[in-house]
Amino acid sequence: MKYDTYDIILAILKYLEESMDEPRIDFSKVNHEALGISEPRYGRVIEIMINEDMITGLTEVKMMGQTYPSYKAISPNITMYGLEYIQENKPSAKVYAILKEIKEWIPGM
Protein backbone atom coordinates (compact mmCIF):
# COMPACT_ATOMS: atom_id res chain seq x y z
CA MET A 1 0.00 0.00 0.00
CA LYS A 2 1.35 3.43 -0.92
CA TYR A 3 1.02 6.08 1.74
CA ASP A 4 0.98 9.82 1.31
CA THR A 5 3.75 11.61 3.23
CA TYR A 6 1.14 13.43 5.32
CA ASP A 7 -0.42 10.07 6.31
CA ILE A 8 2.99 8.79 7.41
CA ILE A 9 3.63 11.92 9.47
CA LEU A 10 0.20 11.69 11.08
CA ALA A 11 0.67 7.98 11.90
CA ILE A 12 4.00 8.66 13.63
CA LEU A 13 2.62 11.65 15.54
CA LYS A 14 -0.51 9.78 16.65
CA TYR A 15 1.61 6.88 17.89
CA LEU A 16 3.83 9.25 19.91
CA GLU A 17 0.81 11.03 21.36
CA GLU A 18 -0.86 7.72 22.31
CA SER A 19 2.39 6.51 23.91
CA MET A 20 2.91 9.46 26.23
CA ASP A 21 1.86 7.43 29.28
CA GLU A 22 4.42 4.70 28.56
CA PRO A 23 7.67 4.75 30.56
CA ARG A 24 9.63 4.12 27.35
CA ILE A 25 8.33 4.70 23.82
CA ASP A 26 9.03 1.80 21.46
CA PHE A 27 9.78 3.70 18.24
CA SER A 28 10.20 0.42 16.32
CA LYS A 29 6.39 0.28 16.17
CA VAL A 30 6.55 3.15 13.67
CA ASN A 31 9.74 2.27 11.79
CA HIS A 32 9.88 1.91 8.00
CA GLU A 33 9.00 -1.79 8.13
CA ALA A 34 6.00 -1.26 10.42
CA LEU A 35 4.73 1.53 8.16
CA GLY A 36 5.40 -0.45 4.98
CA ILE A 37 7.60 2.18 3.35
CA SER A 38 11.19 2.26 2.08
CA GLU A 39 14.04 3.12 4.43
CA PRO A 40 15.09 6.16 2.34
CA ARG A 41 11.54 7.57 2.38
CA TYR A 42 11.29 6.94 6.13
CA GLY A 43 14.56 8.75 6.81
CA ARG A 44 13.47 11.74 4.77
CA VAL A 45 10.08 11.91 6.49
CA ILE A 46 11.73 11.78 9.93
CA GLU A 47 14.11 14.53 8.79
CA ILE A 48 11.14 16.71 7.79
CA MET A 49 9.45 16.08 11.15
CA ILE A 50 12.60 17.02 13.08
CA ASN A 51 13.22 20.14 10.96
CA GLU A 52 9.60 21.22 11.43
CA ASP A 53 9.88 20.73 15.22
CA MET A 54 7.18 18.05 15.31
CA ILE A 55 9.33 15.50 17.17
CA THR A 56 12.44 15.40 19.34
CA GLY A 57 14.68 12.75 20.81
CA LEU A 58 16.18 11.25 17.65
CA THR A 59 19.79 11.51 16.58
CA GLU A 60 21.11 11.29 13.05
CA VAL A 61 23.29 8.28 12.25
CA LYS A 62 25.81 8.80 9.44
CA MET A 63 26.39 5.80 7.18
CA MET A 64 29.24 5.66 4.69
CA GLY A 65 27.93 5.97 1.14
CA GLN A 66 24.30 6.40 2.19
CA THR A 67 22.51 9.21 0.36
CA TYR A 68 19.52 9.50 2.69
CA PRO A 69 19.31 10.31 6.42
CA SER A 70 19.01 7.66 9.11
CA TYR A 71 17.99 8.26 12.70
CA LYS A 72 18.24 6.43 15.99
CA ALA A 73 15.54 6.94 18.60
CA ILE A 74 17.08 7.96 21.93
CA SER A 75 14.03 9.33 23.74
CA PRO A 76 11.42 10.11 21.07
CA ASN A 77 8.75 12.65 21.96
CA ILE A 78 6.06 14.65 20.25
CA THR A 79 6.32 18.44 20.52
CA MET A 80 3.55 20.96 21.05
CA TYR A 81 3.61 21.68 17.32
CA GLY A 82 3.21 17.95 16.66
CA LEU A 83 0.14 17.88 18.91
CA GLU A 84 -1.27 20.92 17.11
CA TYR A 85 -0.66 19.20 13.77
CA ILE A 86 -2.76 16.23 14.92
CA GLN A 87 -5.57 18.57 16.02
CA GLU A 88 -5.53 20.49 12.74
CA ASN A 89 -5.75 17.28 10.73
CA LYS A 90 -8.67 15.69 12.55
CA PRO A 91 -11.69 15.18 10.29
CA SER A 92 -13.80 17.51 12.47
CA ALA A 93 -11.23 20.30 12.08
CA LYS A 94 -11.27 19.89 8.31
CA VAL A 95 -15.09 20.05 8.19
CA TYR A 96 -15.05 23.18 10.37
CA ALA A 97 -12.54 24.86 8.06
CA ILE A 98 -14.67 24.06 5.01
CA LEU A 99 -17.84 25.36 6.67
CA LYS A 100 -16.05 28.54 7.75
CA GLU A 101 -14.88 29.10 4.18
CA ILE A 102 -18.38 28.54 2.79
CA LYS A 103 -19.74 31.04 5.32
CA GLU A 104 -17.29 33.64 4.02
CA TRP A 105 -18.47 33.08 0.45
CA ILE A 106 -22.16 33.55 1.23
CA PRO A 107 -23.05 37.07 2.38
CA GLY A 108 -25.41 37.36 5.35
CA MET A 109 -24.59 33.92 6.79
Side-chain angles (χ1 to χ4, degrees):
M1 176 181 274
K2 184 155 172 71
Y3 290 103
D4 180 278
T5 301
Y6 289 101
D7 294 335
I8 297 165
I9 290 170
L10 204 50
I12 294 169
L13 291 175
K14 283 183 178 180
Y15 171 74
L16 288 173
E17 195 271 333
E18 291 166 0
S19 300
M20 288 177 73
D21 289 322
E22 301 299 322
R24 186 173 189 291
I25 295 174
D26 181 4
F27 208 64
S28 69
K29 292 186 179 180
V30 286
N31 67 13
H32 72 281
E33 292 169 338
L35 294 170
I37 60 174
S38 69
E39 195 170 349
R41 181 180 184 86
Y42 182 77
R44 291 177 180 121
V45 169
I46 294 296
E47 182 176 52
I48 290 168
M49 295 176 75
I50 291 169
N51 290 342
E52 292 297 319
D53 295 322
M54 294 177 169
I55 58 175
T56 61
L58 286 91
T59 188
E60 189 170 5
V61 177
K62 301 283 185 181
M63 305 279 242
M64 184 90 114
Q66 187 170 298
T67 59
Y68 56 89
S70 289
Y71 293 89
K72 179 179 180 178
I74 305 300
S75 59
N77 283 297
I78 189 169
T79 65
M80 191 64 190
Y81 179 70
L83 291 169
E84 290 170 0
Y85 185 88
I86 291 172
Q87 285 292 4
E88 291 169 1
N89 286 283
K90 282 185 174 180
S92 59
K94 290 180 182 181
V95 169
Y96 175 77
I98 291 169
L99 291 175
K100 186 176 176 184
E101 189 172 328
I102 290 171
K103 184 178 177 184
E104 291 172 5
W105 291 345
I106 302 170
M109 251 187 105

